[in-house]
Amino acid sequence: MTLWDYLSEGFVQHALIAATLVAVTAGLIGPLVIMRDLAFAVHGTAELAFTGAAAGLLVADDPLLGALLGSIVVATAMGVLGNRERERNSAIGVILAFGLGVGVYLLSLYRGFATAATNILFGQIFGVSPSQITLLTAIAIGVLIAMALMYRPLLFASVDPELAQARGVRTRLVGLLFVYVLALTVTEAAQIVGTLLVLSLAITPAAAASRLSARTPVVIVISIAVALIAADGGLLLSLVHSDVKASVFISTISFAFYVIARAAAKFVVPAHRATSHAGAGPRATGRAGSELHSDHEPGNSAASTPTAARAASTTEAVTPEPQ
């Protein structure tokens, strides 16, 4: 069969829809995950989705529903047990060790086909059913709505949590809500690449995008684009090379983009900036000098660092100045 013949099949169309849904949600939250240093939380949630999926297989023969419920329980435990970074990472480590042990035990009780168990770890995008497509669509819509509502306070709390809390942002609540969104997205991604390779969609595209721009909206757009190319491209390549799983191609494409982004950030982007500055002429140099002078005047110390400037601009966007 040719690639076009495959694309006319219903199971391939379902797989492409699922891959697109997962890529959009994973690419959307990835930059915020990196900004909040939650990569280990992604890994922990993905591994513990295995425990929920094993329970779902054992109880209701539905690994997706089990992984979804399990990820919500894990997100709650992470949010309750650890708020600060050191507490959060140690809490994730404790829960991860216990949860994996429970997952192995539950899987030992399962008497079904072995492929149903291995699909939890390595993913099986071509086995997505219409009911699972409906559930994945609902999850994606929920993630998009949640991110649209909490984007500004979440960004503010990610840039400068102390200042955000001082300005009235409930940073602990925002962080807990984002962990829920993260858990739902990781559960989605695990259906495609499996719990062992979920970082290839939830982290790698965002890590590549963050090398190319410092503006959060631009990073999000690039992250979504890279995740889409990796997910859908890996899926199509697995149809051409049927002896290789889609998750292998997806992780390879994501990593390739990351390597290219690192090289571009080291060589291409600095050269482009140098050319732009040279073409701006002495007029731009004079303007930059006056801005630098104004930044060092008394009373302008808040603008003397990029972090403070970003935090100040985010503050104005999130909360108005008191009257």
Side-chain angles (χ1 to χ4, degrees):
M1 293 181 66
T2 65
L3 180 60
W4 295 109
D5 294 331
Y6 278 118
L7 292 176
S8 64
E9 298 290 337
F11 73 95
V12 175
Q13 295 171 3
H14 292 161
L16 284 172
I17 293 173
T20 301
L21 291 172
V22 171
V24 171
T25 53
L28 174 64
I29 72 162
L32 277 304
V33 169
I34 292 178
M35 191 178 297
R36 296 179 67 85
D37 195 20
L38 288 174
F40 186 47
V42 172
H43 173 72
T45 305
E47 296 295 327
L48 291 170
F50 159 75
T51 303
L57 272 175
L58 185 64
V59 175
D61 200 29
D62 190 342
L64 178 57
L65 181 60
L68 179 62
L69 296 177
S71 64
I72 293 176
V73 172
V74 170
T76 303
M78 290 180 182
V80 171
L81 293 180
N83 187 34
R84 285 182 285 183
E85 181 178 346
R86 182 177 299 178
E87 295 176 349
R88 181 177 63 238
N89 288 336
S90 60
I92 293 172
V94 170
I95 298 171
L96 178 61
F98 173 72
L100 286 178
V102 174
V104 171
Y105 173 71
L106 293 175
L107 200 58
S108 67
L109 300 178
Y110 181 63
R111 295 293 180 264
F113 293 105
T115 54
T118 56
N119 287 343
I120 299 173
L121 296 175
F122 303 106
Q124 180 50 274
I125 183 62
F126 293 112
V128 176
S129 64
S131 61
Q132 289 177 323
I133 290 289
T134 302
L135 182 57
L136 290 175
T137 303
I139 293 174
I141 293 174
V143 169
L144 292 175
I145 293 175
M147 289 299 294
L149 293 176
M150 62 189 292
Y151 173 75
R152 286 188 175 182
L154 177 63
L155 180 60
F156 188 18
S158 302
V159 172
D160 195 330
E162 290 80 11
L163 182 59
Q165 190 170 14
R167 295 301 298 268
V169 177
R170 301 175 66 180
T171 55
R172 188 178 182 89
L173 176 61
V174 170
L176 180 60
L177 292 176
F178 182 67
V179 171
Y180 280 129
V181 172
L182 173 64
L184 295 176
T185 305
V186 167
T187 302
E188 266 195 322
Q191 305 309 306
I192 292 184
V193 295
T195 58
L196 296 180
L197 296 176
V198 74
L199 293 176
S200 61
L201 282 179
I203 298 297
T204 309
S210 64
R211 291 280 174 174
L212 302 176
S213 177
R215 298 176 57 193
T216 304
V218 176
V219 172
I220 290 176
V221 171
I222 298 175
S223 175
I224 293 175
V226 172
L228 281 170
I229 294 172
D232 292 338
L235 190 64
L236 295 176
L237 285 175
S238 68
L239 294 174
V240 178
H241 305 279
S242 57
D243 55 334
V244 181
K245 274 186 167 290
S247 56
V248 176
F249 287 114
I250 292 171
S251 59
T252 301
I253 294 173
S254 294
F255 181 73
F257 269 106
Y258 177 71
V259 172
I260 293 172
R262 284 191 68 99
K266 187 174 182 180
F267 300 106
V268 179
V269 175
H272 175 71
R273 289 175 179 170
T275 304
S276 301
H277 290 165
R283 184 176 180 182
T285 305
R287 184 170 62 251
S290 64
E291 291 174 355
L292 180 62
H293 176 72
S294 64
D295 286 346
H296 286 81
E297 290 181 353
N300 288 325
S301 59
S304 60
T305 61
T307 302
R310 284 171 51 185
S313 61
T314 310
T315 304
E316 295 174 358
V318 175
T319 56
E321 292 291 339
Q323 301 295 327

